Amino acid sequence: MIKVAFCDDDLSVLKELSVLMERYRVERNQDITYAAFHSPLELLSEVERGTRLDIIFLDVLMPGQDGISAAREIRKYDTSVKIIYLTSSSEYAVDSYEVGAYFYQLKPIWQESFYRLMDSVLRECRKNEKNSLILRCKTGITRLELDKLKYCEVTGRNLLLHKEDGEVLDSVGKLDDLCEQLKDYECFVRCHRSYMINMDYVKSISNKAVILSDGTQIPIPHGKYSELKDKFFSYFFRKNQTFLAYLNSFLKFPCEGES
């Protein structure tokens, strides 16, 4: 289900957005829930309580706190939500992209442009959802792109998720639960009771450790080497076969007698 929030100090705008969203939800047969907020403080309070939102329509100019500063606060808790600014002026367009705005929508909002915008942002949400993981970290709610996850380790009751750029995300959870979430992604393998690796980052495997592309060594329990080696070769054989099949569909090799 996609969760949407509208935030505007103008009640007529909130009503208009609710009508458009309900019409869109029914006509497009989309699983969407939405809520309206009359002030940024109301919205921030909801985000601080841990409510995860997929899309926020946020007015730029509001009394007390403007939409730009509100977005900066929201980003402290949620780096993934798509923020769409609403305004009658393009004056703050540059500032809006400093806080990772998805779009800058000028008022008034017509049904055609609203539908077009929703079609676009929902495609982006679903694409991200398919290849990513939503985590509750110490820094807030974060979307982790799975192809950027090198490995994960357990420390006490926390999961440390190591990304390719060196960033480490600290999330409360169990490795058993994470492995279950990622069971359909064959690149992820649990090589140790405290470690899960992404085989796309494996450089070599010995009978004592997995060596990743950056030199990190992940220990292998006694007797696990053969099983892990077989999984590694099986994964890359299937991956390369898929790649070759893809290439062959685009390349035409000369038949006998052709030059």
Side-chain angles (χ1 to χ4, degrees):
M1 176 181 288
I2 297 294
K3 296 181 180 180
V4 182
F6 308 126
C7 184
D8 200 300
D9 62 303
D10 189 334
L11 293 177
S12 66
V13 172
L14 292 179
K15 182 178 180 180
E16 178 186 9
L17 286 168
S18 296
V19 169
L20 284 171
M21 183 61 78
E22 183 61 22
R23 193 177 297 156
Y24 177 87
R25 186 188 68 81
V26 173
E27 291 182 13
R28 293 286 204 268
N29 191 28
Q30 295 287 348
D31 190 9
I32 297 173
T33 183
Y34 51 93
F37 299 88
H38 192 230
S39 77
L41 292 178
E42 292 177 6
L43 175 60
L44 283 170
S45 178
E46 194 68 26
V47 171
E48 289 171 0
R49 282 200 293 266
T51 299
R52 189 185 72 79
L53 297 166
D54 297 290
I55 305 165
I56 297 175
F57 286 82
L58 185 60
D59 187 25
V60 172
L61 297 177
M62 289 180 283
Q65 185 176 32
D66 63 77
I68 303 295
S69 59
R72 291 194 183 102
E73 291 297 315
I74 289 169
R75 285 291 182 228
K76 293 178 182 178
Y77 298 91
D78 192 335
T79 60
S80 306
V81 61
K82 302 287 187 294
I83 297 175
I84 298 170
Y85 277 112
L86 303 170
T87 183
S88 54
S89 169
S90 59
E91 179 183 353
Y92 296 93
V94 174
D95 291 336
S96 73
Y97 290 104
E98 290 179 2
V99 290
Y102 177 79
F103 199 72
Y104 196 83
Q105 177 65 55
L106 294 176
K107 298 177 183 178
I109 306 167
W110 305 107
Q111 178 173 307
E112 182 181 354
S113 62
F114 180 82
Y115 276 35
R116 196 162 50 239
L117 176 56
M118 282 301 301
D119 288 343
S120 172
V121 72
L122 285 183
R123 279 195 301 270
E124 191 68 21
C125 284
R126 299 214 160 98
K127 183 176 72 174
N128 291 344
E129 182 180 358
K130 183 179 179 181
N131 299 305
S132 62
L133 194 66
I134 295 293
L135 299 169
R136 291 188 183 277
C137 302
K138 290 183 176 180
T139 54
I141 302 171
T142 301
R143 185 183 295 275
L144 171 64
E145 295 177 51
L146 294 177
D147 62 350
K148 295 181 179 178
L149 174 60
K150 285 192 302 183
Y151 71 99
C152 176
E153 63 177 312
V154 179
T155 58
R157 296 183 179 180
N158 284 29
L159 297 175
L160 297 182
L161 298 106
H162 297 257
K163 295 172 59 181
E164 64 170 353
D165 61 2
E167 182 183 7
V168 180
L169 301 177
D170 190 338
S171 177
V172 175
K174 297 179 179 179
L175 191 56
D176 287 343
D177 296 336
L178 181 61
C179 290
E180 179 64 23
Q181 285 182 278
L182 300 180
K183 65 181 180 181
D184 294 331
Y185 299 87
E186 62 177 346
C187 61
F188 292 104
V189 171
R190 188 170 187 172
C191 61
H192 185 283
R193 64 186 179 89
S194 299
Y195 291 90
M196 179 191 69
I197 60 170
N198 184 341
M199 288 193 287
D200 287 327
Y201 290 94
V202 171
K203 181 180 180 181
S204 62
I205 303 176
S206 72
N207 58 0
K208 292 184 178 180
V210 174
I211 295 87
L212 302 184
S213 55
D214 64 352
T216 299
Q217 296 193 25
I218 309 295
I220 299 175
H222 180 71
K224 189 83 172 177
Y225 169 69
S226 294
E227 177 190 342
L228 190 59
K229 180 186 68 174
D230 290 343
K231 285 183 178 180
F232 178 77
F233 283 122
S234 177
Y235 169 68
F236 275 97
F237 176 78
R238 288 193 297 273
K239 184 177 180 180
N240 290 333
Q241 287 294 97
T242 301
F243 179 66
L244 288 174
Y246 174 79
L247 280 182
N248 287 335
S249 69
F250 283 91
L251 297 176
K252 182 179 184 298
F253 295 97
C255 297
E256 187 176 351
E258 291 184 353
S259 59

